[in-house]
Amino acid sequence: METTLHLPELFGSRVFNEETMKERLSPASYGAWKKCVTEGTSLDISTANEIAEAMKQWAVEKGATHFTHWFQPMTGVTAEKHDSFISPVGGGRIMMEFSGKELVRGESDASSFPSGGLRATFEARGYTAWDPTSFAFLKEGTLCIPTIFCSYSGHALDKKTPLLRSLDEMSRQAIRILRLFGDTQTRRVIAQVGPEQEYFLIDKQLYARRKDLRMTGRTLFGAKPPRGQELDDHYYGAIKPRVAAFMKDLDETLWSLGVPSKTKHNEVAPSQHEMAPIYTDANTACDQNQLVMEVMKKVADHHDLVCLLHEKPFAGVNGSGKHDNWSLGTDTGKNLFRPGSTPSQNAQFLLFLAAFVKGVDEYQDFLRTTVATAGNDHRLGAQEAPPAVISIFLGDELNAVVESIIQGTEYTDASKKTLEIGVDVLPAIRQDTTDRNRTSPMAFTGNKFEFRMLGSSQSISGPNIALNTIMAEELKQFADELEQSTDFQGDLQKLIRRVFTQHQRIIFNGNGYDGAWIAEAERRGLSNLKSAADALPAYVAPKNVELFVKHGIYIKEEIQARYEIHVENYVNVLKIEASTMIDMIRHDILPAVSRYAADLCTRADSKKRMDVPCAYEINTAKGVAKIADDLMEQCRILASDLEELPAGPETAMRYCHDTLLPDMVNARASADALEVLTAAEYWPMPVYSQLLFSV
Ligand code: ADP
Ligand code: MG
């Protein structure tokens, strides 16, 4: 990439965005596309043909030879199948062709993507269909067209379809509420999302020598290094030249792809960093975050680095998460979670807040399942990430407002007056005071909520589908009630007070890392689903299934299918980790320490013959040999337990959690003890201090 670049020209230069469409389409086709995007109308084939032709011309001018329907199957990563534009015209010559039909719909042999039994129930193939609300872009000579992925009977096989459904439904219900407040302008309510992405960068050569990192994305072994993150010198510290070069390259690539990468800084752990884009609509944010993760890996590779997106690549230092900043905005530019400056705006704000509080309380278990993965289990509740208990942090000012509404008493602030909803204005909610609590899983940060439990490698789709749908449900209930009211102001007051009173238990403004909170949460009756194995069954709890079916986000079979995929995924991750561990113990660690112990014995022997003291050699050899025997036995147990993995997915998940994980913890403890005792030249892989402090 050029070093002297003009940012406004670079930004979005590889995106077939609205501006480009305006330039290259006839006014009629541009108008039809715009209407399709803002009002959900469908496009006719002649418009699609024109858009396809313009897209192809634009892409070919920029050097593209192929196009792909770019989609997000349930694997959590993106999938693409490239077709070239070429079409034979006789005489051995070709033309570059791309039709509206090819743009709008593609076929895909879906049989190798996880479908959780949906395909067996319905039929074998899947198709992809253009999502005109997300812009096409160019990636390495290929025109990428964001698409949904469905089975022929219309069942969602991907992470985009239900997200789009949830966005529509949330908008529909939110508009009902806005109309009650006299808003006649808003035509669409948009979920706005800004995902902050954490990651590690390590040296490629060292990575290549760690089988565990290559196979599982995390280290399965590794003793604590002499220095970890205790000096706190990495967080926001000066960025090292090699990392800075990576970040510059990353930014430029992302900007050209229209991703508004905004902030970058070092994170808490050594070698850990973060990137945050400027927020956008949830659908685009989700597509772009997938792209961000892909680009991070590729750009790292160009710099002889490896980007680790796993939630917990290293034990004993902080893992990586993703903060999902989420708010609702109108197409007229208003943020519905911004406390307003007039009584009416504030009443509306409090009603949306009440909906959120009620929804998070009622569906805390489901929200927990949306972040439940084997990788994320290593961070949630571990003093570095939010606990597994879900609660909402409101900050002191807003909390005082909620308290006074519940009590019907006076504020504790200086003004000392009773708040009458719809009549009075709220006291100023200062943004800086809401942002101090970093331990809350769901924090109000001035004009948005920050859902902080997401794992760094996961798609943000699932959590946002949940937030949108939960919001739709609560807003629907409120609208059903208030639309019938003959005394809107009075009933609004009562409803808000009732809801805050019934759901106050989910609000917690203290330290989420404190053990006392977990006990307190239990007294409050909040759910504490400690691991993915504990949490995932809630995915198909009847009340949760009912929620998604009622709002048309999933049919029952779709949600069941998704549940099965998540369970299978958990089991597969654990199986791969256990197998990798066994492999490394048998083929790398035990042979290495055996050689070390034997060499020590040989040296002790020759020293003894010369009458030289050799306690060091003998004691070390004995220590190493003893632990090696322990490790051999632990490895045997792990291997035999792995053999006995039950067949049923749910039983297998439980078994992995209850049996394989403890086996792995035991084996790791011995292996790490061996690492501490073994001379560096014998240890078969780079250790933590090398991995974490090499870049
Ligand atoms: P931090 O969490 O590090 O203090 P910010 O709060 O400034 O940083 O922003 C974090 C992320 O939240 C960014 O991606 C930002 O664009 C996004 N964000 C800011 N305002 C909103 C909003 N109203 N809705 C959704 N996301 C937002
Ligand atoms: Mg944040």
Side-chain angles (χ1 to χ4, degrees), residues 610-623:
M610 307 291 289
D611 215 17
V612 176
C614 54
Y616 161 68
E617 283 80 4
I618 289 173
N619 288 338
T620 309
K622 279 183 177 164

Side-chain angles (χ1 to χ4, degrees), residues 591-609:
V593 296
S594 162
R595 201 153 42 81
Y596 180 46
D599 285 358
L600 286 169
C601 292
T602 313
R603 276 181 253 156
D605 211 30
S606 60
K607 275 175 147 186
K608 211 184 265 166
R609 264 185 268 123

Side-chain angles (χ1 to χ4, degrees), residues 196 323 325 438 450 452:
E196 299 165 59
H323 290 176
N325 294 273
R438 293 258 151 203
E450 193 167 332
R452 298 192 177 125

Side-chain angles (χ1 to χ4, degrees), residues 192-196 236 274 276-279 325-327 335 435 438 447-448 450:
Q192 313 174 121
V193 172
E196 299 165 59
Y236 282 88
E274 181 186 293
I278 298 170
Y279 69 93
N325 294 273
W326 175 92
S327 68
N335 180 344
D435 204 27
R438 293 258 151 203
N447 58 12
K448 62 179 164 39
E450 193 167 332

Side-chain angles (χ1 to χ4, degrees), residues 41-299:
T41 51
S42 57
L43 284 177
D44 59 62
I45 189 68
S46 69
T47 310
N49 277 331
E50 193 188 321
I51 296 176
E53 181 58 28
M55 248 188 208
K56 181 206 73 188
Q57 271 181 18
W58 171 83
V60 169
E61 277 167 31
K62 293 191 173 275
T65 52
H66 288 69
F67 69 93
T68 179
H69 278 197
W70 185 78
F71 59 102
Q72 298 166 35
M74 292 300 296
T75 53
V77 293
T78 54
E80 42 197 74
K81 175 177 154 241
H82 296 208
D83 279 301
S84 76
F85 290 121
I86 63 169
S87 166
V89 287
R93 295 163 24 117
I94 55 128
M95 241 177 76
M96 300 290 258
E97 244 181 21
F98 183 50
S99 69
K101 235 169 80 194
E102 286 171 303
L103 164 66
V104 171
R105 193 166 160 131
E107 309 272 336
S108 180
D109 175 15
S111 53
S112 310
F113 293 108
S115 70
L118 262 191
R119 213 170 292 108
T121 330
F122 301 94
E123 75 302 280
R125 285 169 314 153
Y127 71 89
T128 51
W130 180 35
D131 167 16
T133 61
S134 184
F135 299 131
F137 56 91
L138 276 178
K139 203 173 57 137
E140 282 135 27
T142 298
L143 171 69
C144 298
I145 300 155
T147 55
I148 59 161
F149 179 42
C150 286
S151 75
Y152 270 92
S153 39
H155 298 97
L157 296 172
D158 68 346
K159 290 177 182 267
K160 186 191 263 284
T161 308
L163 179 63
L164 292 173
R165 291 175 185 161
S166 75
L167 290 166
D168 283 347
E169 175 63 1
M170 179 279 297
S171 174
R172 214 170 2 254
Q173 303 301 339
I175 284 174
R176 289 175 66 193
I177 297 288
L178 295 182
R179 296 288 181 261
L180 289 169
F181 282 91
D183 174 339
T184 53
Q185 303 295 310
T186 299
R187 305 181 75 162
R188 188 159 174 93
V189 171
I190 302 145
Q192 313 174 121
V193 172
E196 299 165 59
Q197 177 72 49
E198 291 183 336
Y199 60 96
F200 279 84
L201 282 181
I202 64 165
D203 185 85
K204 199 198 277 181
Q205 248 89 49
L206 296 175
Y207 170 87
R209 291 167 50 210
R210 290 288 309 214
K211 212 179 271 174
D212 45 4
L213 281 178
R214 284 190 285 118
M215 295 296 137
T216 72
R218 74 179 181 106
T219 53
L220 300 171
F221 305 100
K224 200 173 155 13
R227 174 181 159 188
Q229 62 194 44
E230 23 317 77
L231 294 179
D232 281 332
D233 55 349
H234 193 255
Y235 192 47
Y236 282 88
I239 298 170
K240 294 197 183 123
R242 203 168 158 199
V243 175
F246 160 85
M247 285 179 170
K248 181 171 187 294
D249 206 352
L250 175 67
D251 272 346
E252 288 172 9
T253 311
L254 291 177
W255 290 334
S256 75
L257 288 165
V259 179
S261 170
K262 174 83 174 159
T263 55
K264 50 185 181 186
H265 59 80
N266 287 349
E267 263 299 330
V268 176
S271 291
Q272 193 186 28
H273 314 279
E274 181 186 293
M275 189 290 284
I278 298 170
Y279 69 93
T280 175
D281 68 277
N283 180 34
T284 304
C286 184
D287 285 356
Q288 291 191 337
N289 182 252
Q290 293 298 126
L291 203 52
V292 163
M293 292 193 282
E294 185 184 323
V295 169
M296 278 180 167
K297 293 194 163 201
K298 279 199 188 130
V299 172

Side-chain angles (χ1 to χ4, degrees), residues 403-423:
E403 286 275 354
S404 90
I405 291 171
I406 292 171
Q407 310 292 331
T409 57
E410 305 182 335
Y411 288 137
T412 43
D413 84 334
S415 64
K416 284 275 178 200
K417 58 178 186 149
T418 312
L419 174 75
E420 216 174 305
I421 295 162
V423 178

Side-chain angles (χ1 to χ4, degrees), residues 466-517:
L467 289 172
N468 298 335
T469 308
I470 287 167
M471 210 55 197
E473 167 62 20
E474 306 304 343
L475 293 174
K476 178 182 188 304
Q477 288 183 22
F478 291 0
D480 287 348
E481 185 174 331
L482 292 172
E483 280 168 358
Q484 302 304 316
S485 164
T486 48
D487 169 20
F488 180 67
Q489 284 303 334
D491 288 341
L492 179 68
Q493 288 246 10
K494 278 186 221 137
L495 186 153
I496 291 175
R497 184 169 181 200
R498 186 186 79 217
V499 168
F500 281 142
T501 308
Q502 283 171 355
H503 299 282
Q504 196 185 14
R505 65 171 186 168
I506 197 78
I507 299 170
F508 174 64
N509 289 293
N511 179 3
Y513 294 178
D514 192 344
W517 161 236

